[in-house]
Structure formats: C-alpha cells, structure tokens
Amino acid sequence: MSTTQESPTAAGSGANASDAFRASAARRGAAETTQERADRLFRRTLEAIYEVIRTEEVSYPEFQAVKRWLMDVGEVGEWPLFLDVFVEHEIEKVAAKSQRGTTGTIEGPYYLPGQQRLPAVTTLPMRPDEKGDKLVFSGQVRALDGRSLAGAEVDFWQADADGYYSGFAPNVAAGNLRGVVVTDQDGRFAITTIKPAPYQIPTDGPTGAMIAAAGWHPWRPAHLHLMVRADGHRQVTTQLYFDGGDWLDSDVASATKDELVLAPDRRDDGSYAVSYDFELEPAAKS
Ligand code: DHB
Ligand code: FE
C-alpha cells in the first residue's frame, strides 16, 4: 500500500463536482426564464465577447485554442470548478444586494448534502490522526430581531490540513470534516475541528492551464464553509477566513469579504478558539 498522499486530479475532482452539481440542480428545480430574458442575456453575453475580439484583434489561432480549451473543460468535468471560481462571486454579489443579516459568499463546488447530524457541542467527524491545529468554532444563531434560534442547522464543511475535501479527493473518508450541527435551546453551538489549509484549485487540468498561461496563481485562502438555516428564515451560505492567512488579498475565487475574516485566539495548548454569530432574515413570502 502506498503511504504517500495521493493528490486529487482535475479529472477526478471535476467528475465528482459535476455529479454533485447535477444532484443539487435536480433538488433546486428548473430556473424559469422568459424568451425576452433569454434573448437579452444571450445577446449581451455574445456582444461582450465580440467586443473583446474586436478591441483585442483576436486571431484564428487564438480562437482555435479557446475552442479546444472549452472542449477540454467539458471533457474533464471542470465546469463547476471553473464557474464557481471565476463567475459565482459576481452572481453572489447581485443576490447580496437584497439580503440582510449575516454576509454571504460563494458556495463553491464542494458542498455535499445529507451529512451526519451532530449536537450543538460536537467534534466534526475526522481521522484519528487528523493533521492540523485544533480549532473550536462557536457562536449563536439569531433572527434579525435578536431572538435566538434553537434547532437551527449549521451545515459545515471544510478542507483538511492538506487542502483536500472529503468526497472529492482520494484518501479522505466520506463525511470527513463535514456535519450538520443543530443549535441548542439558546441557538448556540461549539464545533471542535482543525484549522484548514489554503486550498489550491487543481492545476493539472484546463483551468490550471489557463491560470498558468496567464501567470496567475491557483490559491484560495484557508476557509470554513457554512450554510446556516432555520425554519421561517432565509438560509445563509457563507465562508469564514483567518486573519493574517496567505492569499486573503488575492483569492483566486474573489470570494473574501472583510466581515468574514476571523481572528482566532491562540491558547496555551496551541489550539485556537473563535466565536462568530449568525443573523438570519425572515424567509421571503411566497
Ligand atoms: C473552488 C473550491 C473551493 O474550495 C471553493 O471554496 C470555491 C471554489 C473550486 O475549486 O472551484
Ligand atoms: Fe472551499
């Protein structure tokens, strides 16, 4: 048996991310779009591309290279990764304009529903020898008016200390560092986990090739992912980052926001502790 950590390949994590997206799209149902809206969005997208072609005088070899690259992204299943890194942040900012309560940011491609339900004070499922500094992440879920929300769900997922997500990398057990934590009668929770490492988007596929060709870097700062939900309230999807961490000011996915940066306290035993409260606005009336 090999003792070295096998890296997830672009094709491997891409295929898993594509499957996860198809499943979530089925859960969410079809988007309703009028012909007028479709006409406008497709036309304006194409016009934006024509503008680049004209002003940059894009050549035939460049056009053929892009065509081949687009085919490659589809073949290895990297569209969810590419779109969540390079496009989702703008969609999220549009959505955020009409939202109140805790600031959101992108979901990214690595959410998996149906994880283990855990009590308010809990340790996330992890390997006996899980690498990384211990982190106790605690807080309270409240409504906008300050009422605490008992029985709210803090659906939590993160990368391990090598930057890998369970379900998307070989050698990381299903459910590792994921869980749905249910708040206590005061809306509180305390989750023991490890501090994740910065995350590098796969460099061996077409997205990595594009980043290398442009001389960019493939890194996201270390982050925790959360979806927080309670009956009668709008679900918040967000991420929390760590003060002073690498790549905070140059996230490849442009998904950091100042109010989402944590400053954990370091304790004498070398572990970290930090608290963050969530505020949920009422659900939209339908
Ligand atoms: C990607 C990965 C993430 O962990 C994330 O939070 C956002 C995007 C990606 O590889 O596309
Ligand atoms: Fe992530």
Side-chain angles (χ1 to χ4, degrees), residues 29-264:
E32 300 274 325
T33 299
T34 61
Q35 188 184 62
E36 265 175 304
R37 178 79 172 157
D39 165 52
R40 186 178 167 85
L41 295 187
F42 291 138
R43 189 163 33 79
R44 291 206 57 197
T45 302
L46 290 169
E47 280 167 4
I49 294 171
Y50 304 153
E51 163 75 10
V52 173
I53 294 170
R54 278 193 300 266
T55 57
E56 297 297 331
E57 301 193 334
V58 175
S59 69
Y60 258 101
E62 286 170 332
F63 173 55
Q64 304 300 9
V66 167
K67 215 192 278 183
R68 204 175 64 202
W69 180 86
L70 289 164
M71 290 163 61
D72 290 345
V73 174
E75 272 163 29
V76 304
E78 270 199 353
W79 280 119
L81 278 69
F82 179 87
L83 291 168
D84 290 355
V85 165
F86 290 110
V87 181
E88 188 184 355
H89 56 87
E90 288 305 309
I91 302 285
E92 194 282 328
K93 279 178 206 139
V94 170
K97 288 200 292 186
S98 60
Q99 295 173 346
R100 292 174 303 155
T102 295
T103 300
T105 189
I106 68 168
E107 177 178 323
Y110 296 143
Y111 174 68
L112 291 173
Q115 300 301 312
Q116 200 178 328
R117 281 176 79 82
L118 300 164
V121 177
T122 193
T123 298
L124 287 187
M126 64 175 85
R127 296 161 282 194
D129 56 348
E130 192 69 48
K131 276 202 317 192
D133 293 324
K134 178 175 148 181
L135 170 70
V136 180
F137 172 70
S138 61
Q140 187 184 36
V141 182
R142 294 187 297 265
L144 275 190
D145 62 10
R147 264 179 312 123
S148 61
L149 294 171
E153 292 181 354
V154 179
D155 196 340
F156 190 100
W157 71 107
Q158 67 170 84
D160 67 11
D162 292 320
Y164 298 140
Y165 286 88
S166 60
F168 299 90
N171 301 349
V172 188
N176 205 63
L177 300 176
R178 295 176 183 269
V180 181
V181 180
V182 181
T183 61
D184 70 11
Q185 67 277 7
D186 298 318
R188 293 186 187 279
F189 63 89
I191 303 169
T192 298
T193 181
I194 55 108
K195 253 184 112 186
Y199 167 84
Q200 186 178 198
I201 67 170
T203 51
D204 65 323
T207 303
M210 182 196 90
I211 288 170
W216 302 342
H217 75 71
W219 291 95
R220 299 212 60 219
H223 55 278
L224 310 172
H225 285 273
L226 305 113
M227 279 182 197
V228 183
R229 57 181 89 88
D231 286 346
H233 295 80
R234 178 182 63 79
Q235 171 175 292
V236 168
T237 300
T238 196
Q239 301 184 28
L240 295 168
Y241 304 90
F242 299 95
D243 195 23
D246 290 337
W247 319 111
L248 260 186
D249 297 326
S250 64
D251 179 8
V252 67
S254 310
T256 62
K257 298 184 186 184
D258 290 346
E259 58 273 45
L260 298 178
V261 180
L262 303 172

